[in-house]
Amino acid sequence: MITRLVCVAEGERLTRSVAIGTHTLTSDEPEPAGADAGPTPGELLLAALGSCTSMAVRAVADRHGWPLDRVDVAVRFDGPGRIVKNVGLTGALEPDQREQLLAAAGRCPVHRLLTREMAIVTVPALLAEPEPVSFDRPSAP
């Protein structure tokens, strides 16, 4: 999986600007906590999983030349620690082809990332301006 640096900048209240390469997204929380200026961070996570799933299924169908007309993915949280992913396949597919495409839906990189143990390390970044430097040397005793 190719990744670029994702940078998040603070906006008003809980609104955040997310920069990924040349792309800019907005993340927020619904009112009253936020201004509902964009999807929540959790919804962005679901969007990543859904789009990755759709891409993986399409890539397998195209590689095999299978008649997949359309792939639709709907993703939602279903209680703590559970995500439900509905995958719809449209086209004149054989049952074996459908089975293989649904298996590919479970192997996309984001799905594998979310289902494996992973450590997340928080590293403090020093963004504050440094103290002014004094050029006065104390006199020697």
Side-chain angles (χ1 to χ4, degrees), residues 11-76:
E12 290 187 31
R13 295 176 61 193
L14 296 178
T15 302
R16 300 294 179 264
S17 177
V18 182
I20 308 164
T22 60
H23 309 286
T24 303
L25 309 168
T26 300
S27 179
D28 200 356
E29 289 289 334
E31 294 178 339
D36 202 17
T40 68
E43 291 165 342
L44 290 173
L45 177 70
L46 293 177
L49 176 60
S51 59
C52 185
T53 298
S54 177
M55 290 175 187
V57 169
R58 172 56 62 193
V60 169
D62 288 355
R63 184 171 53 247
H64 291 290
W66 293 344
L68 176 64
D69 296 331
R70 182 179 168 134
V71 57
D72 294 298
V73 180
V75 190
R76 64 183 167 82

Side-chain angles (χ1 to χ4, degrees), residues 1-2 9 22-23 26 35 43 48 50 53 57 70 73-74 81-83 85-86 88-89 109 113 121 124:
M1 178 167 40
I2 298 171
T22 60
H23 309 286
T26 300
E43 291 165 342
T53 298
V57 169
R70 182 179 168 134
V73 180
R82 183 175 158 103
I83 295 173
K85 185 167 62 166
N86 296 88
L89 305 173
L113 185 70
V121 179

Side-chain angles (χ1 to χ4, degrees), residues 2 19 26 29 41 46 52 64-65 74 81-82 85 87 89 92 94 97 99 107 111-112 117 127-129 131 133:
I2 298 171
T26 300
E29 289 289 334
L46 293 177
C52 185
H64 291 290
R82 183 175 158 103
K85 185 167 62 166
V87 179
L89 305 173
E94 299 294 325
Q97 293 170 334
E99 187 177 315
R107 291 191 310 266
H111 184 117
R112 289 185 299 175
E117 279 192 44
L127 300 176
E129 292 187 28
E131 293 289 323
V133 177

